[in-house]
Amino acid sequence: SLNGKSLRNASGWFNPDPRRPNPQLNVKRTGPWPKLTAAHELGHALDWYAFGDGTTPGSESADLFDDWFDAIDRSNAVQRIRNAPLPQRHKTYFLSRRERCARSYAQYIATRSGDKEMLKGVADTLASPMPERQWEETDFASIADAMDEIFRSRNWLRPQQ
């Protein structure tokens, strides 16, 4: 278990436990969309170690994320989570800044790379019983643009020509 949660049905997980010498990242090879899951878990790692200080994820406090989260909060997918007949603990989890950061990072990598397998993972998620875990292409466009700006500000993307 991780933080008291069963991992039996998890497709992947990231454990940044600062008491350990190294964070742990796991992706189930037999999961429904392992490439998308890998990008999702790497999104958590970036949140903790590239945007955060290794003890706290950057998504929890960095002003850098304001435009990114504003775009996410305006999305139809987030509105569907807020209005879905889900247990409150699921809503809290899916709407947490950490989880929104990782889910959007995974879709960003799928979208910007054009990787067919990852895009199929997004499409499969959208066709699943919980489609609001990812965004429709048009719903995601402003989120991806906000992410582009953050990555450009860190020189992770080239400036627009």
Side-chain angles (χ1 to χ4, degrees), residues 68 72 100-108 135 140 143 147:
W68 184 349
I72 289 172
R100 287 181 291 158
C101 177
R103 285 196 337 269
S104 60
Y105 180 78
Q107 188 157 344
Y108 178 86
W135 294 264
F140 191 69
I143 298 167
M147 294 173 75

Side-chain angles (χ1 to χ4, degrees), residues 47-110:
D47 188 15
W48 280 81
Y49 295 101
F51 296 122
D53 62 7
T55 62
T56 306
S59 64
E60 296 292 329
S61 61
D63 292 339
L64 176 70
F65 285 85
D66 288 348
D67 290 341
W68 184 349
F69 283 112
D70 287 347
I72 289 172
D73 287 340
R74 287 190 309 268
S75 71
N76 294 327
V78 165
Q79 298 312 315
R80 284 193 308 272
I81 291 171
R82 287 193 173 113
N83 297 324
L86 294 170
Q88 187 57 47
R89 68 181 172 21
H90 290 156
K91 286 184 182 187
T92 300
Y93 171 74
F94 284 123
L95 294 173
S96 71
R97 289 177 70 95
R98 295 175 192 186
E99 191 59 19
R100 287 181 291 158
C101 177
R103 285 196 337 269
S104 60
Y105 180 78
Q107 188 157 344
Y108 178 86
I109 295 300

Side-chain angles (χ1 to χ4, degrees), residues 6-153:
S6 170
L7 296 177
R8 187 174 332 150
N9 295 322
S11 294
W13 53 267
F14 173 69
N15 183 358
D17 187 345
R19 296 169 298 178
R20 295 175 175 262
N22 300 305
Q24 297 176 317
L25 187 148
N26 189 351
V27 175
K28 188 186 288 186
R29 286 187 200 108
T30 58
W33 33 76
K35 278 186 159 183
L36 193 64
T37 299
H40 175 103
E41 301 308 337
L42 286 169
H44 282 303
L46 286 171
D47 188 15
W48 280 81
Y49 295 101
F51 296 122
D53 62 7
T55 62
T56 306
S59 64
E60 296 292 329
S61 61
D63 292 339
L64 176 70
F65 285 85
D66 288 348
D67 290 341
W68 184 349
F69 283 112
D70 287 347
I72 289 172
D73 287 340
R74 287 190 309 268
S75 71
N76 294 327
V78 165
Q79 298 312 315
R80 284 193 308 272
I81 291 171
R82 287 193 173 113
N83 297 324
L86 294 170
Q88 187 57 47
R89 68 181 172 21
H90 290 156
K91 286 184 182 187
T92 300
Y93 171 74
F94 284 123
L95 294 173
S96 71
R97 289 177 70 95
R98 295 175 192 186
E99 191 59 19
R100 287 181 291 158
C101 177
R103 285 196 337 269
S104 60
Y105 180 78
Q107 188 157 344
Y108 178 86
I109 295 300
T111 301
R112 292 297 193 246
S113 71
D115 184 281
K116 290 182 186 345
E117 192 175 335
M118 291 179 81
L119 290 169
K120 183 178 181 324
V122 171
D124 289 349
T125 303
L126 291 169
S128 76
M130 273 291 296
E132 46 280 318
R133 290 178 293 173
Q134 298 299 153
W135 294 264
E136 296 285 347
E137 186 177 343
T138 55
D139 198 25
F140 191 69
S142 63
I143 298 167
D145 290 344
M147 294 173 75
D148 282 341
E149 290 307 312
I150 290 171
F151 297 152
R152 277 191 197 94
S153 76

